[in-house]
Amino acid sequence: MLKTGSLYAPKSQKNMKTISCNPKRIFLLTSFVLTSVTMFAQSYSISGRLIDAQDSIIPVASIILTNQSDSAFIQGTISNMDGFFTLNNVQNGKYLMFIQHLLYKKKSISVEVSSTLQLGNIFLQKKENELGEVSVKASRPVVKMKDNVLSYDAAAIGEKYVRSNALEMLGDIPGVLLKDEGVQLLGAGKLSIAINGKPTTLTMDQVLTMLKAMPNTNIKEIQVMYAPPAKYNVKGALINIILNKSEKEELSGVVTAGYEQRRKPGANGSINLQFSKGKWETGFLYSGEYAKNKMGYEIDINHNYHDTLYYIEQDMDFRNNSQEHTIQFNTSYNLNKKQQLSLVYTGSFSETDGNNYTNATFSTDETAYTESDILKDNDDENLHNAKLDYSLNGNFNVGLDYTHYNGPSTQTYQSIVDETTKNYQTKSNQTINKWMGYFDHSLSFDNDWSVNYGANYSHSDNNNYYHYLNKTGNEYIPDASQSTINKFKETATAGFFGFSKQFSPMFSIDFSLKGEYSQMEKDSLQNTEKLWNNFRLYPSANLSFTADSNANHIFQLSLKSYATYPTYWEMSPATWYTNQYMLVQGNPELRPSQTYDASLNYIFCRKYVAVVSYNYCSKMISQIPFASEETFNTIARNENLDYSSELTAALVLPFNLGSRVTINPTIGVFHRVMKRDGAGEQSFNRSANTFIFQYDNSVLLSKKHNIKFNLSGYYYSHIIQTIYDIDHVYDVSCALSCPLLKKKAELAVKVKDIFRSNGPVSRINFNNQQSVYRMHWDSRMLLLTFKYNFGKALKAKKVEVDDSRFKRLQ
C-alpha cells in the first residue's frame, strides 16, 4: 500500500529567521575547520538531534564543544533542517557542549568521549516573552519522495520505540504490519525485501531471520515500493533497506543476547562485526536461536462417508525442539573510486526434533472407536549461497549467484486403532543446485531523463524423493506404490528495459517492461513431462504528483504485474501424514498464477498516509481441505483457484500527546473474493469484508535517562481463506527499555501476546463439510534482551537466496 523512496523536504519555512554572514562569523567558522584538520590522534564523533517539548525539530542551532578542564574551544557546528548535528574528529576526553538558539534557552551538556557517541534526542526549552511575534516550528517529515520512491528516515521513525533488531523496525513503517514475525504490506499481494537495492534470492523466512540478527541501528533508510522497477528483479511490492556506512579504520559491531520464556525456556544471540581499512571492507554476522515450542489443536469434524455420518473429535499436541544458525561473511574491494568487487557467503543450518500426539474418537449413531497416534519428526536443513558482484559507478552491475540446498526429513508413526497397531515411516529429501547470472545498466541525461536495462538467466536442478515404509517385524519395508522420485529442471531467461522522467518539480513517471521466458520439466521414473513453456511480459509503472511546494500533498499511482510459481514439493505426488485420518497431498497439476496490482497512495502533511489498492490474481495457488468421498480421510491439497481479488483501503494517522506520548495507529478494511469452479465440495464462490487495526504507543518515562515504554498490538476481524472462515484474533504486547553503560548498551524487556489471544479458530461450514479447528500455541512469551554496541553502528551486507519453492509441504 505504501511506497517509499527518498524524502521531499521543503527548502524554506515561513516566518523562519535567517542568520546573515559577516566577516567575524566567517573567521569563526574558518577557525573551527582549521582546528578540526589539525587533529591527528584517534578520534570519534558526537551526534544528536534537537527538539522541543512539542516534538518540533530545531534547525540552525549553534553547538559549541569546549574542553571541560580549561574551557578551551574545540570545535562547533549548527543543526541542519531536520534538527540533526554531528561533531567529527573528537579525541578522547571530557568536554562541555553548549547549545544555543534565538528562540530557546541555552543548554549545556557534559560529555565524556571514549567511543562514538549518539546522544539521541536533546530537548530545548523555549524562551518566554522573547521574539513573541516570530516562531520557528518545523515538524520533521516522516516520509519524503524522490524518483517516485517514498522513503522513511529510520532514526526519525524508530527512536521512540523499543526495537531490538531491524525486523521490529519494519513495523514502524506506515502500512507495514508485523504479525507472528511475518511481514505484510497492506494492499500488496506479494512482498519482497532487498538490502541496498541488490537482487535477492533468499526466501522471505530467511530474510526475516537475517533481519532479526541485524541491529536496528544499522538502518539508515527504509524504502517501500508497490511497483518496483524491473531492475530490482522482484515480483510484487518491495521493501528496500538502506544500511549505514561504517567508519574507516575502525572495528565496529553489536553483540546481543536474549532469554525467551514460553512454557519452556529458550535463548538467542547474535554478533555483527564490520571492519574497513584502505580499499577493503569486511563484515561478519552470526545469529543462533534455540527454542522449545508447544502447539495444540482441538478439531471437530463431521464427515459423511458412504452414506454414514461420522462425528470425529481430535486432540493434537505438537512439541518440538529447534535450533537455527545463520552465518554470513562479506568482503568488498574498491578497485578505484568508481569500481567495486564484492563477495558474500551465506550459510543457514537448522534442525528440528518433534513429538506429535493425537487422540481421536470416531463415532456414528450406532458405533464408536478410538485412535491414538504418535509421530516422531526429525528435519534437517542446510543452505550454502555464494554471490560475486561487480559494480561500476553504481550504475552498472554484473554478478553471479549460486545456491546449494539440502533438506532431509524422517517421520516415524505409530497408530493404534482400538487394539490394532500400525507402524510406518516416511523419508523425504530435497537437493537443489541453482545458479543465476545478471547484469543491469542505468544511464542519466541532463534533461531529467534516465534509462535502465538489463538481463538475467537462472537454472535450477531439483532432486526430491519421498519413500513410504511399512514396519514388518523389526524392519521398515518400502512401499513402492506410495513412494515417488522426481527431478525438476527449471530455466528462466529475462530481459528488461525501463525509463524515468521528471517532467516538472511536481510530476514524475517511471515505467519498465520485463519479458521472461520460463521452462519447467519433470522427470519421474524416467518419464519426462514438460510442465510449462511460457513467455510472459511484466509491466510496472509509477506516477507521482506533488500538489504543493512544501510537499504537504503527495499522490502516487502504482501498477504492477507478475507471476507466482508453485513450489517443487507442491507439484510432487507425495502424501504427508498428520495422523491416519488427516493428510496433506502434493498436486502435480498445479500451474503458475498471474497477479495484477494497482495502488493509489496519498501522503498528506508529510506524515499521514491513505492507501487504496486492488489486487487480482488469476489461477491463485491456495490450500483447500476436503472430506474425501473416496477414502476415509480429510485431505488438504493446494489447488489453482479461478481467481482471487482484494480491494483494500487503509489510513495511517500518527500523532503525539505532549512531548512524551506517541501513538501510531493503522486502520484498514479489505474486501476479498475467492472463486473456484471444481467438482463437488471443491467448488465455491465466496466473499467477505475484513477490518484491521494495528497500533504502536510509546511513552517516554524519563527524558534524562531515555527510558521508554511501548504498548502495541493488532486486531483482525473475520477472514475467509478458500472454504475456511477464520474468527477474529487480536494481540496485545508491551516492552520497556533502558540504556546502560553510557548509552553503549541497552536492556529491554518484552512480553508478547499478553492475553494469549492470537491463536485463531478456523471453521468450515460449506456444502457437506462441517468442522472446527481451534489452535493453542505458545504465543505468550517473556523476552529479555541485552544489546551492546562498540565502535559505530554496524553495516551488515546480506544476500538473499530464494528457496521459497524448496520446502516440503506441511
Side-chain angles (χ1 to χ4, degrees), residues 361-565:
T361 301
F362 299 80
S363 60
T364 68
D365 292 337
E366 299 177 354
T367 62
Y369 67 92
T370 62
E371 178 181 332
S372 178
D373 294 270
I374 299 175
L375 164 62
K376 296 184 181 297
D377 188 6
N378 177 263
D379 298 321
D380 289 304
E381 291 185 1
N382 61 81
L383 179 144
H384 304 272
N385 173 265
K387 182 173 184 177
L388 182 65
D389 184 88
Y390 167 79
S391 176
L392 174 63
N393 281 332
N395 297 322
F396 177 79
N397 296 279
V398 59
L400 186 66
D401 182 285
Y402 171 75
T403 298
H404 173 80
Y405 172 88
N406 189 53
S409 178
T410 300
Q411 294 83 38
T412 303
Y413 304 82
Q414 182 185 73
S415 179
I416 304 173
V417 179
D418 282 341
E419 297 181 358
T420 303
T421 300
K422 180 178 181 180
N423 292 283
Y424 57 104
Q425 191 177 77
T426 63
K427 290 187 175 182
S428 59
N429 189 29
Q430 185 175 65
T431 302
I432 304 288
N433 288 288
K434 181 176 182 178
W435 64 273
M436 176 181 68
Y438 62 89
F439 86 91
D440 62 81
H441 188 205
S442 300
L443 300 171
S444 299
F445 304 96
D446 293 336
N447 56 355
D448 293 324
W449 279 91
S450 66
V451 173
N452 60 85
Y453 61 91
N456 59 73
Y457 174 82
S458 65
H459 177 88
S460 176
D461 287 312
N462 165 65
N463 297 312
N464 64 334
Y465 69 77
Y466 172 85
H467 292 161
Y468 180 94
L469 306 94
N470 284 307
K471 189 174 183 180
T472 303
N474 293 323
E475 289 188 69
Y476 286 97
I477 308 300
D479 182 349
S481 66
Q482 297 192 65
S483 301
T484 64
I485 299 176
N486 297 283
K487 296 182 180 180
F488 296 91
K489 289 186 178 180
E490 185 178 22
T491 60
T493 305
F496 69 86
F497 173 82
F499 69 88
S500 63
K501 169 66 175 176
Q502 187 77 37
F503 290 96
S504 71
M506 302 296 199
F507 179 68
S508 63
I509 183 174
D510 71 59
F511 174 83
S512 62
L513 182 65
K514 178 180 179 180
E516 182 180 74
Y517 175 65
S518 61
Q519 300 179 80
M520 171 70 87
E521 185 179 277
K522 182 177 75 170
D523 186 346
S524 180
L525 300 178
Q526 298 184 343
N527 292 323
T528 301
E529 176 185 4
K530 185 155 286 189
L531 299 180
W532 59 75
N533 189 7
N534 299 328
F535 177 78
R536 297 173 184 261
L537 290 174
Y538 306 120
S540 67
N542 293 285
L543 295 87
S544 300
F545 176 71
T546 304
D548 63 305
S549 59
N550 290 325
N552 286 322
H553 301 279
I554 301 172
F555 298 87
Q556 185 174 63
L557 176 65
S558 302
L559 306 170
K560 179 78 173 178
S561 173
Y562 57 91
T564 301
Y565 291 86

Side-chain angles (χ1 to χ4, degrees), residues 45-56:
S45 64
I46 304 173
S47 60
R49 176 183 177 229
L50 306 181
I51 61 176
D52 63 19
Q54 283 71 45
D55 198 31
S56 298

Side-chain angles (χ1 to χ4, degrees), residues 749-795:
V749 181
K750 300 179 183 180
V751 181
K752 296 185 176 181
D753 192 16
I754 297 172
F755 302 108
R756 293 188 64 193
S757 53
N758 67 2
V761 177
S762 303
R763 306 174 191 273
I764 299 175
N765 188 6
F766 186 75
N767 289 342
N768 292 323
Q769 296 193 64
Q770 290 82 38
S771 58
V772 180
Y773 298 77
R774 299 179 181 88
M775 186 174 76
H776 310 284
W777 60 343
D778 274 347
S779 54
R780 180 191 293 158
M781 178 176 66
L782 172 67
L783 180 62
L784 182 66
T785 303
F786 177 80
K787 178 170 64 175
Y788 178 78
N789 299 269
F790 57 92
K792 189 173 168 143
L794 182 61
K795 172 185 178 182

Side-chain angles (χ1 to χ4, degrees), residues 248-298:
K248 296 293 184 182
E249 310 291 334
E250 181 180 16
L251 176 66
S252 56
V254 178
V255 178
T256 65
Y259 172 80
E260 303 172 359
Q261 181 64 58
R262 294 184 173 93
R263 284 197 177 105
K264 299 289 185 179
N268 63 75
S270 66
I271 181 169
N272 201 348
L273 304 174
Q274 185 73 40
F275 180 74
S276 300
K277 185 172 184 179
K279 295 183 176 182
W280 287 96
E281 183 174 344
T282 303
F284 174 79
L285 174 65
Y286 166 79
S287 68
E289 183 174 15
Y290 174 77
K292 293 183 177 181
N293 297 313
K294 181 179 179 181
M295 183 170 63
Y297 280 98
E298 296 178 23

Side-chain angles (χ1 to χ4, degrees), residues 683-738:
S683 177
F684 55 86
N685 187 351
R686 311 187 68 215
S687 63
N689 296 317
T690 299
F691 173 76
I692 299 173
F693 176 69
Q694 176 171 298
Y695 68 95
D696 283 296
N697 172 219
S698 175
V699 180
L700 183 61
L701 300 178
S702 171
K703 291 183 178 181
K704 180 179 180 180
H705 300 289
N706 196 29
I707 299 175
K708 297 177 288 188
F709 173 77
N710 289 174
L711 185 67
S712 61
Y714 60 78
Y715 172 84
Y716 283 68
S717 68
H718 165 251
I719 304 172
I720 63 168
Q721 183 65 30
T722 62
I723 63 174
Y724 285 108
D725 287 272
I726 303 174
D727 290 356
H728 72 273
V729 294
Y730 67 94
D731 180 291
V732 178
S733 301
C734 65
L736 180 71
S737 73
C738 177

Side-chain angles (χ1 to χ4, degrees), residues 19-74:
I19 299 177
S20 61
C21 293
N22 55 52
K24 183 178 180 180
R25 190 178 302 279
I26 294 174
F27 174 80
L28 182 61
L29 293 176
T30 304
S31 300
F32 292 168
V33 175
L34 293 177
T35 303
S36 313
V37 171
T38 60
M39 300 175 70
F40 58 87
Q42 185 174 11
S43 58
Y44 305 95
S45 64
I46 304 173
S47 60
R49 176 183 177 229
L50 306 181
I51 61 176
D52 63 19
Q54 283 71 45
D55 198 31
S56 298
I57 62 173
I58 304 176
V60 201
S62 299
I63 296 94
I64 306 296
L65 190 70
T66 65
N67 196 309
Q68 193 176 97
S69 60
D70 56 10
S71 299
F73 169 77
I74 303 299

Side-chain angles (χ1 to χ4, degrees), residues 590-636:
L590 282 178
R591 293 298 179 264
S593 64
Q594 182 74 32
T595 302
Y596 306 89
D597 285 337
S599 66
L600 177 63
N601 299 272
Y602 170 43
I603 300 95
F604 50 106
C605 298
R606 296 172 293 169
K607 59 192 291 190
Y608 309 113
V609 181
V611 180
V612 177
S613 67
Y614 180 72
N615 171 279
Y616 179 89
C617 182
S618 175
K619 302 298 181 184
M620 178 182 180
I621 301 171
S622 190
Q623 190 178 84
I624 303 175
F626 63 95
S628 175
E629 297 177 354
E630 300 176 359
T631 62
F632 188 54
N633 296 107
T634 287
I635 301 173

